[in-house]
Amino acid sequence: MTDSNTLIAGVDIGGTKLAVGVTDLDGNILAERRQPSDVKRGPNAVVADIIAMVKATLAEAGGGPDSLAFLGVASPGPLSQSRGVILSTPNMPGWENYPLIAQLHDEFGCQTVLENDANAACLGEALFGAGVGHRFVVYFTISTGIGGGFVQDGRILHGKDGNAAEFGHQIIVPFNGALCGCGCYGHLEAYANGKNIVRRAVECMEAGEKSSIMTYVPEGSPLTTRELAAAANAGDPLAKRIWNETGDYLGIGIVNVVQSFNPGVVVLGGGITKVGHLLFEPTQCSVDARLMPDYKGTFTIEPAKLGDRVGVMGAVGLALRHGILRKAS
């Protein structure tokens, strides 16, 4: 059994999965668990699962509740980090104004901190992943949505109300732009998240453009970015163009962020980045074509390294500013 206050736990809450990791004070993973979140059951049932998972993971790491020095939680938002309250989450109904941190603190009695999942992911990559060795780290997560984060010297930029670095909602098409899920028009997310990458391909085919894309889709299933990538890799012109356009849009967003924040590295994560060169090559070309000369050579664009652990490690990384985590980039 470990001594008191020698372990850190990180919790990653998602619409489809829960993940928990326990580390030592240097951020080395000792044990981890994951399971479906089944959020339709409501927050109380999910929190009961989180508590059980943390206790089980602590036990696997050789500790108990009294060995926990810090508990960090990464969650979708919007949320109030200062109050530890989830304000609302589109993919988690019933969590409105939910006092998550108070419940977990009552259970474990240690410092317990809530963070937006994209911010936590940026911190995780800055401390343990592709951003190691850089003081200024920008992170884009490209998946069902597009989120972002900015970390300087191991600290997350939150802004006045905690809503800084919403990179997916920068305007990249100012006139007659596509409708974004937030209700505004022309945002990066309206063009380069998974749903809208597929939407653009479907609109082209419905307008009569010939393509082999649908031959890659299993019968009875919807088109996804997976099939769109397979078609592009096989040489389908429309699929290749859609990925080139996606990289172009993303490159515009990266240039805007680089010229605003001057990072040393831009890390790209999230499920869409798994298509690899289909996204990264046109993105780099777009950046190279649009970047002011003074910024050229000052940063690199890197794929995220932490994979499915990014939320957990970001939540663990929150212990750094409380003087508990010993590891820094």
Side-chain angles (χ1 to χ4, degrees):
M1 187 72 70
T2 61
D3 296 331
S4 297
N5 305 123
T6 58
L7 299 177
I8 299 169
V11 176
D12 183 16
I13 302 174
T16 59
K17 62 96 179 70
L18 298 174
V20 172
V22 169
T23 77
D24 60 20
L25 300 186
D26 292 311
N28 300 305
I29 283 275
L30 304 176
E32 55 189 321
R33 288 172 177 254
R34 64 177 53 236
Q35 67 182 52
S37 52
D38 197 11
V39 293
K40 66 179 180 295
R41 299 173 298 154
N44 290 334
V46 176
V47 170
D49 283 353
I50 291 170
I51 291 170
M53 289 176 70
V54 171
K55 289 180 177 178
T57 312
L58 282 169
E60 187 177 343
D66 63 342
S67 62
L68 196 57
F70 183 89
L71 177 60
V73 182
S75 170
L79 50 81
S80 171
Q81 199 230 15
S82 61
R83 294 189 292 125
V85 172
I86 296 179
L87 301 177
S88 65
T89 54
N91 296 319
M92 293 164 53
W95 288 72
E96 290 77 13
N97 296 306
Y98 190 78
L100 174 63
I101 294 308
Q103 293 207 39
L104 294 176
H105 182 268
D106 287 347
E107 181 68 34
F108 294 103
C110 63
Q111 285 183 295
T112 308
V113 174
L114 177 66
E115 185 55 78
N116 172 276
D117 53 359
N119 284 340
C122 184
L123 183 62
E125 288 290 341
L127 297 180
F128 305 104
V132 169
H134 295 276
R135 293 182 58 203
F136 306 95
V137 179
V138 157
Y139 178 81
F140 283 76
T141 179
I142 308 156
S143 187
T144 53
I146 295 180
F150 178 74
V151 167
Q152 177 177 342
D153 295 327
R155 296 182 66 88
I156 296 168
L157 174 69
H158 287 109
K160 181 176 74 69
D161 297 313
N163 296 316
E166 286 287 354
F167 300 150
H169 296 285
Q170 58 180 297
I171 298 170
I172 60 168
V173 180
F175 304 107
N176 301 314
L179 178 65
C180 183
C182 70
C184 297
Y185 292 86
H187 290 182
L188 176 61
E189 188 170 301
Y191 293 88
N193 72 348
K195 174 183 176 181
N196 287 304
I197 294 169
V198 169
R199 171 189 58 78
R200 292 188 290 108
V202 169
E203 287 176 352
C204 290
M205 289 186 287
E206 289 178 344
E209 187 163 350
K210 301 298 183 183
S211 172
S212 65
I213 290 172
M214 296 309 295
T215 64
Y216 293 87
V217 180
E219 187 175 354
S221 299
L223 173 64
T224 71
T225 54
R226 183 182 300 108
E227 291 83 30
L228 197 59
N233 282 321
D236 182 87
L238 173 58
K240 290 171 66 176
R241 191 177 81 239
I242 293 295
W243 285 114
N244 286 340
E245 290 173 353
T246 300
D248 201 34
Y249 289 129
L250 181 57
I252 293 171
I254 290 173
V255 167
N256 291 339
V257 169
V258 165
Q259 293 177 174
S260 298
F261 292 94
N262 192 201
V265 64
V266 175
V267 182
L268 303 185
I272 302 303
T273 64
K274 293 179 180 178
V275 303
H277 70 95
L278 291 174
L279 182 66
F280 280 85
E281 289 180 5
T283 296
Q284 187 69 63
C285 288
S286 177
V287 169
D288 291 343
R290 293 180 167 88
L291 197 67
M292 289 174 59
D294 288 345
Y295 290 92
K296 292 183 182 295
T298 64
F299 71 99
T300 59
I301 299 172
E302 304 290 344
K305 289 186 176 180
L306 296 181
D308 292 340
R309 280 182 170 174
V310 67
V312 164
M313 295 309 297
V316 166
L318 297 172
L320 179 66
R321 62 185 166 86
H322 294 274
I324 296 166
L325 179 68
R326 291 193 290 245
K327 182 173 183 175
S329 60

